[in-house]
Amino acid sequence: MGIENMGLRESKKQETRQLISDHATRLFMEQGFEQTTIAEIAAVARVAKKTVTNYFPRKEDLALDHQEEFATTLARAVADRAPGESPLAALRREFETVLQERSPVAGFAGPEFSRMIADSPTLTARVRDLHDQREAALAAALADAAPTPADAPTPADAQAIAPAAAAALLAAAHRLLFQRIQDLTLAGESNDRIAAVLAPEAAYVFDLLETGLAGPLASES
């Protein structure tokens, strides 16, 4: 009985969280993120203002539901890559997957949501922060995936900075592709059209990365 009650309570919490998030997103898109208050969101969701802040400590959290997934997706692609698959190949495959899925993680958010972010200095800054977090997580994953010193193709004094340098290049490429999707969305292109445009562009970007990151990130024996 206790376990059932715990399950019901958790389910109710998730329902309340989703309800608040849905109402907040609607208000943000209708009124603008900066113009909408927590009090307004609480009133529309019919909950106390403190309930909103308990579920969402920061106002930005109400608008960006996929923050954790976004910040960790590149690192997870490297950590979970197939045996013998290089980190670069895993990241390329991961992007191809999210592109095919029209995933919000890749930048597919719809014109109203994309405009809401573009028009909000707060959300724009938060997205930049998330890109930075993504890069830091990727650097840590690449450090874990780095070859042992005996096998490392880079000089010993460069081995320490190599994962961070590679992560910076890879993260910059993903920022570029993410923004490209956002720009095309705001230009009125459909998701299918965006995916068709991005597929060859992403392939070109990853080809450049493979040339520039030749070595342990480009291929594994």
Side-chain angles (χ1 to χ4, degrees), residues 51-105:
T51 301
V52 175
T53 55
N54 282 342
Y55 282 102
F56 301 94
R58 294 175 301 185
K59 187 179 171 184
E60 303 95 290
D61 298 337
L62 284 156
L64 303 172
D65 290 343
H66 302 279
Q67 293 184 76
E68 183 176 355
E69 181 183 2
F70 181 87
T72 60
T73 184
L74 301 184
R76 284 189 288 103
V78 170
D80 298 341
R81 70 192 189 282
E85 185 178 31
S86 71
L88 180 54
L91 290 167
R92 184 173 195 150
R93 177 172 53 80
E94 170 70 14
F95 185 82
E96 290 171 351
T97 297
V98 296
L99 186 64
Q100 291 171 1
E101 294 175 348
R102 318 297 196 254
S103 171
V105 172

Side-chain angles (χ1 to χ4, degrees), residues 168-217:
L169 294 172
L170 291 161
H174 280 84
R175 287 177 197 241
L176 171 67
L177 296 172
F178 180 92
Q179 190 59 50
R180 183 80 169 118
I181 292 172
Q182 290 282 287
D183 290 344
L184 289 172
T185 298
L186 292 172
E189 299 289 355
S190 69
N191 283 352
D192 288 345
R193 171 61 180 163
I194 293 170
V197 170
L198 260 290
E201 291 183 353
Y204 177 74
V205 169
F206 280 103
D207 285 347
L208 289 177
L209 286 170
E210 188 166 357
T211 301
L213 295 172
L217 292 186

Side-chain angles (χ1 to χ4, degrees), residues 15-30:
E15 289 177 5
T16 301
R17 188 183 192 284
Q18 189 61 53
L19 176 70
I20 294 170
S21 177
D22 290 346
H23 281 299
T25 300
R26 178 176 60 80
L27 288 174
F28 291 153
M29 290 192 294
E30 289 176 355

